[in-house]
Amino acid sequence: MPPPAKAPSTPPASPAWWRVLLRVLAWIVGIGAALGLAGVLTIAVALAVAYPNLPDVSDLADYRPKLPLRVYSTEGALLGEFGEERRNLTPIQDIPKVMTDAVLAIEDARFFEHGGVDYKGVVRAALANLGRVKSQGASTITMQVARNVYLSSEKTFTRKIYEILLTFKLEHLLTKNQILEIYMNQIYLGNRAYGFSAAAETYFGKPLKSISIAEAAMLAGLPKAPSAYNPISNPKRARIRQQYIIERMQENGFITAEQAAEAKAEDLKLRSGNDSTRIHAEYVAEMARQLIFAQYGNEAYTRGLNVYTTLNAGDQEVAYTALRRGIMDYERRQHYRGPEKFVTLPDDPQEAEDAIDDALSGHPDNGDVLSAVVLQASAKKIVAARANGEPFEITGDGLKPVQSGLSDKAPPNIKLRRGAIIRVVQTPKKTWEATQLPEVEGAFVAVDPRSGAIKALVGGFDFDKNKFNHVTQAWRQPGSSFKPFIYSAALEKGFTPATVINDAPLFFSAGVTGGQPWEPKNYDGKYDGPMTMRTGLARSKNVISIRILQAVGPKNAQEWVSRFGFDAEKHPPYLTMALGAGSVTAMQMVSAYSVFANGGYRVNPYLISRVTDHKGRILSDFQPPATAENPRVIEARNAFITNSLLQEVTRSGTAARAQATLKRPDIYGKTGTTNDAVDAWFAGFQPTIAAVTWIGYDTPRNLGSRETGGGLSLPIWISFMERALKGVPVAEPTVPAGVTNVGGEWFYDEYARNAGIASVGMEDHAPAAPGTAPPAPPPAEERSRILDLFRN
């Protein structure tokens, strides 16, 4: 019997949990798709709403960042920079390839390949965040430009959307090179430097075109964190990043392995805050800033104006050095005032080194006058240390300026001991000398007397220490340096260089003065009897000058000196005017002496010759008038004879050191020392350059019983002239019309026939010849003048 047939099999029923899972997955996919679509729609709506609100980036097609005001010497040496952002706008074609390669290697190696957003970079950054590779960032250069130019630094989703939109907009509007140019000029790189050109100057003191691979790599490391990778303040971190960038440059094929090795080994020379190569013209730069600000207002600091001055960089540096040296030479003769501060130094050497660094940070170097901390001190030796430096010894003559501080009897605030903060200078013999910062101040100014162009100007010992400009702002008594203007006035009243004047005591009683008796004296207290006017000026005899002013008349003299640019009200018509008791500035003095130097014309000193915009287009260009086109204020013959008197001063008189040192006869000038040696001057010229030096305290006080203009200011003037006159031929004076030489002396033609006969103050010796020097004023008139002298 056949077996029964099998019933057909049916598939087993699916478990209930599987059906539930499928439904859940379907819902998740559906919800995800819906959310994705909603997200896309939301983003699309957001983009549609945001895009019209994006800033107009068309201005970047003509990129004009904030550019500082820069002041230059006549040769183009940078003297000063003013503005919040230190930037040199550099076209992309002028940026060296090594710099762009370094930036691209670390910031955006695929810059020329992507469309603004580097999707590979985004993935790479995501992997880096997971710790799988070293971070290289996802922001492209275009994104950084969008962020730096238009957006804030806040980290929000909205700002990121705007950043991406701006990126696409920039990529659409600008070329890659335009974007890269903006980036290279806009990015902040620390120390107020914006852009790589300014950074090259800031950190290396050189133009961008001159940087090496190693320097470019160091600068390229700054955008990520300008403070953290600052090579000056954080050299170790900066070097680590520099080395990594060099590796990236090699990996991207920008440099070879050999070039990378050389770059890694290169010893970089960083520019320090006390850069000795810069031109010290801070007072000049500030004068230029004030003049430009008065014309352009706050725009002066953002328009990129370039101001070219009349200053000669070489002359300026010599003037700066000479004035500081002269002041420090004076300081060596002063009593030691003691250390600037005392600090406690730990016994542990490392802790002591840290304490020294901390202490000296508050006592920065002042040019070549350096700060140091005493480690040991005895009568014969000081051991001191500077910040991050090896200890050094001061012995012998180097101790003389601070000898009183080494005495066992020195008071505690003067006594030199461990922990004392002192000042030191290095001598030409490379030994050390202890010193102190000076309290005395000084001024120096030099101009071209033919045009008025200022060639050098130093307004004080140190601009950071004292911004008061002693050339233009300090009103001081000129002392004997004012006498030539009285002598010039006398020439118009019949005096000649051969006029004999009695160097004998003068006395004005209380009955004459209406107050205290007055007995003017010569500087040395001596009287030498009858002498010529020439000799009287050469030897700077006060009594001679007073007798001359008596004869000329103070009122006449007051009017005469105003021709030279002096303020009449600051020179009251009293006999003390003969001794320079009025008030002048150094700028007034150099302008006044220029009248003698150029033959009688008054020229106005000027500083700015040209102003251009950042592209070099001339905005203003000043051309001074020819000398003869300026107002003539004295006759040529007056200037000629006065100059012959001033030449005698530098040949045989109180400034004889001038011709002897410079070894040339065309040197003219006059020393000046005021009453009680409060002010020390020397004013003089060679026909191509006039210069004035002044030394004194801001709060007037005695410089010292043996200090004079010839001892203090003249050496500074000579040091400057040694450089300024190098290669300048000796000038032979042209004899003007109206003068005659008789027996080796010069006279106005109308007085030549009576040459040498006139006399003043010689009533007991010989009468004056008719028609020559006028007699002394009548007693009643003289009494009135002396009374006026003492009424105030």
Side-chain angles (χ1 to χ4, degrees), residues 467-789:
K467 291 178 173 56
F468 184 78
N469 190 332
H470 297 85
V471 170
T472 60
Q473 296 177 290
W475 291 91
R476 309 292 294 217
Q477 290 186 342
S480 296
S481 63
F482 196 74
K483 289 176 181 177
F485 306 103
I486 304 300
Y487 279 59
S488 171
L491 294 177
E492 301 303 311
K493 297 296 183 179
F495 280 75
T496 75
T499 300
V500 177
I501 306 165
N502 193 16
D503 180 29
L506 281 173
F507 179 78
F508 302 98
S509 68
V512 173
T513 65
Q516 297 296 319
W518 183 45
E519 186 177 7
K521 298 180 182 297
N522 291 322
Y523 171 76
D524 58 5
K526 299 177 182 178
Y527 303 93
D528 296 317
M531 65 179 61
T532 64
M533 190 167 82
R534 177 179 293 278
T535 302
L537 185 63
R539 297 170 64 178
S540 198
K541 290 289 188 175
N542 291 339
V543 170
I544 299 291
S545 297
I546 292 172
R547 289 190 187 276
I548 291 174
L549 183 56
Q550 280 182 302
V552 171
K555 285 283 187 181
N556 292 330
Q558 183 190 45
E559 184 279 328
W560 186 260
V561 302
S562 66
R563 297 175 176 225
F564 295 84
F566 296 116
D567 299 333
E569 64 273 14
K570 291 187 180 293
H571 299 274
Y574 308 141
L575 289 182
T576 48
M577 187 195 306
L579 308 182
S583 295
V584 301
T585 66
M587 187 67 84
Q588 281 187 333
M589 287 293 283
V590 78
S591 178
Y593 269 77
S594 293
V595 174
F596 293 135
N598 65 35
Y601 299 97
R602 181 176 167 187
V603 297
N604 292 317
Y606 74 99
L607 179 63
I608 296 175
S609 60
R610 188 171 81 257
V611 178
T612 71
D613 65 12
H614 71 281
K615 292 186 177 180
R617 292 175 296 208
I618 295 177
L619 302 179
S620 66
D621 188 10
F622 176 72
Q623 296 297 328
T627 305
E629 294 177 5
N630 288 285
R632 176 176 281 284
V633 293
I634 62 173
E635 291 185 3
R637 64 178 187 168
N638 185 294
F640 178 81
I641 293 182
T642 304
N643 290 352
S644 77
L645 298 175
L646 293 172
Q647 189 177 35
E648 190 65 36
V649 175
T650 63
R651 188 189 71 83
S652 65
T654 56
R657 181 177 176 181
Q659 286 195 34
T661 303
L662 297 173
K663 294 180 172 54
R664 54 191 300 156
D666 58 339
I667 300 297
Y668 312 80
K670 184 68 185 75
T671 54
T673 310
T674 60
N675 194 37
D676 293 328
V678 171
D679 300 276
W681 294 82
F682 185 79
F685 59 89
Q686 190 272 350
T688 63
I689 190 161
V692 169
T693 307
W694 167 84
I695 298 290
Y697 288 98
D698 278 339
T699 301
R701 71 173 196 252
N702 188 282
L703 288 164
S705 60
R706 302 180 66 180
E707 303 293 352
T708 65
L712 277 176
S713 294
L714 178 59
I716 297 169
W717 190 92
I718 292 174
S719 293
F720 172 80
M721 285 296 182
E722 283 180 320
R723 194 272 180 191
L725 297 179
K726 190 173 183 179
V728 177
V730 173
E732 295 292 340
T734 301
V735 180
V739 298
T740 301
N741 190 287
V742 178
E745 188 58 272
W746 293 101
F747 301 85
Y748 282 6
D749 285 347
E750 57 267 37
Y751 304 133
R753 67 182 184 275
N754 296 312
I757 300 177
S759 62
V760 174
M762 297 282 294
E763 293 78 5
D764 296 333
H765 295 268
T772 58
E781 183 182 352
E782 180 60 20
R783 177 185 178 88
S784 174
R785 287 180 183 158
I786 300 300
L787 285 171
D788 286 342
L789 175 63

Side-chain angles (χ1 to χ4, degrees), residues 453-475:
I454 297 172
K455 294 300 181 183
L457 188 151
V458 187
F461 181 78
D462 178 64
F463 182 77
D464 292 332
K465 175 172 168 275
N466 187 350
K467 291 178 173 56
F468 184 78
N469 190 332
H470 297 85
V471 170
T472 60
Q473 296 177 290
W475 291 91

Side-chain angles (χ1 to χ4, degrees), residues 23-40:
R23 290 194 188 97
V24 170
L25 288 174
W27 274 102
I28 290 175
V29 171
I31 293 173
L35 290 175
L37 181 60
V40 170

Side-chain angles (χ1 to χ4, degrees), residues 50-60 145-147 149-151 162-163 165-167 169-170 173:
Y51 197 85
N53 294 324
L54 291 176
D56 182 9
V57 299
S58 60
D59 288 344
L60 286 183
V145 168
R147 180 167 63 244
V149 175
Y150 293 108
L151 302 176
Y162 274 96
E163 181 180 312
L165 290 174
L166 276 171
T167 296
K169 197 170 184 178
L170 287 172
L173 178 69

Side-chain angles (χ1 to χ4, degrees), residues 72-77 79 307-313 454-455 609-610:
Y72 297 93
S73 71
T74 188
E75 308 92 342
L79 305 179
V307 180
Y308 293 90
T309 67
T310 57
L311 213 71
N312 179 284
I454 297 172
K455 294 300 181 183
S609 60
R610 188 171 81 257

